[in-house]
DNA sequence: ACCAATTACTACACATGTGTAGCAATCTTG
DNA sequence: CAAGATTGCTACACATGTGTAGTAATTGGT
C-alpha cells in the first residue's frame, strides 16, 4: 500500500465559499460566457461548473439542473434586454418630425447593442437552433416589439405622408434590418460605424415619399 | 441456461442492401430530416443511423464519421441552394425597368424557397449556433450574393435616379429583408402570401425617390 | 479558540454517444 | 446452385455527461 500512497490524489483546493444567491449569479455568468465563446452546443452542467471553477454538485446545489439554470439565465437576460430597449425607445415619441425620431432612436438602439454585447450577441445571433422554450420567449418579445412598430408605422406614415403600405409586413422588414444591423455591428464594429448605419437608414427613409 | 435461451435476442432484420453511393444519399437525407425536425443539437451518428433504419457501422462504412458526413451534406445542400438561386436570378437583367426586375426576381426567389423547404429552412433559420465550418460556408455565399447585389444597386440606383446611398450597407439591408421574408414565409405560409410580400417590396421600392 | 451550520468535494451508478473487430446474412457471378 | 464478394449486424471498450449520497473543509458566532 506504500506505493499507492505515493499518489495520494491531493484534494482539489476549495473554491471560495459564496452565499447561494451570489453563486447563482456567478453560474449564470459562466453559462453566458460559454454560450458567447463556444456556442449553445457547448453548454452542460459540467462545462458550467468548470467555467465557474467549482464542481458539479455546487451547480446542482444552486439549480435543479441544466434546464432550470438556463431558464433563469433566460429570465435575467430577457430582463436586461427589455430594460435596455425601454431606455432606448423614446418615452414620448415626437411625431411631428418622424424622420428625426427614427434616426435618433436607431442611434440609441445601436449604442445599446454596442454597450452590452454579452447580452445582445446571443439574442441577435442565435435565436434559432436553441431550445424551443428560448425561441418561444424571444419570439414573444419580438412580436411585442413588432406590434409597437406596426402601430407607430400606421400613425407615422399617415402623418408624414408616406406611401400606403402593408404595415405588418413593413414592420417585419424594418425589424429585420435593425436586427441585421445589430449583427454586422457586433461582427465588424469598426467597419460598420454607428454613423454609417444611421446615415443609411436616414437616407433611405428620407427617400421614401 | 435454459431460462436464458428463452429470450434469444432475435437478430435485427437486415435492412435492404444498398450500394454505397445510394446509401450515402440516404444518410444525407436522414441527417437533413433530423436537422429540420429536431434541430442541430439532435444530430449524431447514432441518430442518423436510427433515422435511416440501419446500425452505426453502416454509417461508418459510408463516411468516416459525423464531421465528414455533415461536410458532405453541406456540400450537397449548398450546391442545391446555389443552383436554385442561379435559376431564380435573371440571367440578363433588364436594367431599363429596375422596379419590375426587382419584383419579378423577388417573386421567383420566394417561389424557390416555398418549393424546397427542406433545403431552405436550415439555411434561413439556423445560420448560427452551427459548427463554425458551416457558418463560414454560408457566410461566404452570402458575401458573394451581397457583392452582386451591391454591384446591381450601384448601377441600378444611378440609372433609376434613386437617392445616393451607401451601397454596401443598403445591400445588407435588402438581403436581411429577403432572408427574413423567407423565414416568415416558411413559418406562416398562408399568412404571408407571395403576393403580399412582393407587393410590399414593390410599394416600398416605388416610393424610393 | 471552538463548534455548528454552511458550503464544497469525492466517488459512484447510470445514460448516451463513439469507433472498431469479428461474425452473419445477402447478393452476384460463373 | 454454390462460392466469393459485399454489405449489414452484434458486441465491446472507451469517452463524456447526469444526478446523488456521503464526507470533508470552511466560516461565523459564541
Amino acid at each position: 500500500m506504500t506505493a499507492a500512497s505515493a499518489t495520494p490524489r491531493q484534494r482539489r483546493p476549495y473554491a471560495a465559499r459564496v452565499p447561494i444567491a451570489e453563486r447563482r449569479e456567478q453560474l449564470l455568468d459562466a453559462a453566458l460566457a460559454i454560450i458567447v465563446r463556444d456556442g449553445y452546443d457547448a453548454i452542460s452542467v459540467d462545462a458550467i461548473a468548470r467555467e465557474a471553477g467549482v464542481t458539479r454538485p455546487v451547480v446542482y446545489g444552486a439549480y435543479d439542473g441544466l434546464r432550470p439554470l438556463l431558464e433563469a439565465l433566460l429570465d435575467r437576460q430577457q430582463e436586461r434586454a427589455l430594460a435596455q430597449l425601454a431606455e432606448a425607445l423614446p418615452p414620448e415619441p415626437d411625431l411631428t418630425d418622424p424622420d428625426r425620431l427614427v434616426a435618433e432612436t436607431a442611434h440609441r438602439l445601436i449604442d445599446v447593442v454596442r454597450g452590452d454585447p454579452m447580452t445582445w450577441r446571443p439574442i441577435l445571433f442565435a435565436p434559432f437552433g436553441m431550445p424551443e422554450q428560448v425561441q418561444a420567449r424571444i419570439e414573444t418579445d419580438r412580436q411585442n416589439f413588432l406590434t409597437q412598430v406596426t402601430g407607430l408605422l400606421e400613425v407615422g406614415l399617415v402623418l408624414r405622408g408616406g406611401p400606403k403600405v402593408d404595415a405588418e409586413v413593413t414592420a417585419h422588414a424594418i425589424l429585420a434590418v435593425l436586427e441585421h444591423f445589430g449583427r454586422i455591428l457586433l461582427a465588424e464594429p469598426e467597419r460598420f460605424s454607428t454613423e454609417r448605419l444611421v446615415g443609411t437608414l436616414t437616407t433611405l427613409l428620407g427617400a421614401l415619399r
Side-chain angles (χ1 to χ4, degrees), chain A:
Chain A
M1 280 302 217
T2 37
S5 65
T7 31
R9 285 295 317 293
Q10 61 186 15
R11 276 186 86 83
R12 167 189 190 132
Y14 265 50
R17 292 169 79 94
V18 153
I20 197 163
E22 191 178 336
R23 180 67 84 196
R24 277 199 246 263
E25 280 305 297
Q26 180 193 348
L27 291 176
L28 297 190
D29 290 341
L32 182 57
I34 293 169
I35 288 172
V36 170
R37 171 160 36 78
D38 307 325
Y40 281 88
D41 292 0
I43 281 282
S44 69
V45 173
D46 205 51
I48 293 170
R50 259 178 287 148
E51 177 80 19
V54 297
T55 55
R56 266 180 301 121
V58 171
V59 178
Y60 284 103
Y63 293 100
D64 287 340
L66 187 59
R67 194 50 73 91
L69 189 155
L70 291 179
E71 182 90 5
L73 177 60
L74 186 52
D75 286 339
R76 194 185 76 170
Q77 296 309 109
Q78 183 181 37
E79 193 177 0
R80 284 187 186 174
L82 290 179
Q84 290 176 22
L85 260 193
E87 195 145 348
L89 292 181
E92 302 176 12
D94 172 15
L95 290 174
T96 63
D97 189 351
D99 289 23
R100 181 190 175 83
L101 173 69
V102 170
E104 290 183 346
T105 304
H107 202 300
R108 279 195 300 271
L109 286 176
I110 289 173
D111 283 345
V112 156
V113 171
R114 226 191 267 285
D116 188 359
M118 288 289 275
T119 291
W120 290 101
R121 193 176 285 274
I123 294 175
L124 292 173
F125 272 90
F128 311 108
M130 286 167 63
E132 244 177 88
Q133 218 169 3
V134 180
Q135 282 187 43
R137 193 86 75 91
I138 292 180
E139 197 43 37
T140 301
D141 289 340
R142 248 193 81 97
Q143 286 299 337
N144 275 337
F145 194 74
L146 205 58
T147 305
Q148 285 186 258
V149 172
T150 306
L152 277 180
L153 257 188
E154 280 165 346
V155 179
L157 281 183
V158 168
L159 281 183
R160 183 174 168 286
K164 238 193 171 47
V165 296
D166 186 324
E168 187 189 11
V169 174
T170 305
H172 267 287
I174 289 174
L175 198 40
V177 170
L178 286 180
E179 288 185 352
H180 189 72
F181 278 12
R183 284 192 286 268
I184 64 181
L185 182 90
L186 288 176
E188 305 185 70
E190 65 296 324
R191 181 177 178 76
F192 296 105
S193 69
T194 304
E195 288 65 36
R196 208 176 155 197
L197 297 179
V198 173
T200 303
L201 282 179
T202 306
T203 306
L204 286 180
L205 200 72
L208 263 190
R209 288 296 153 193

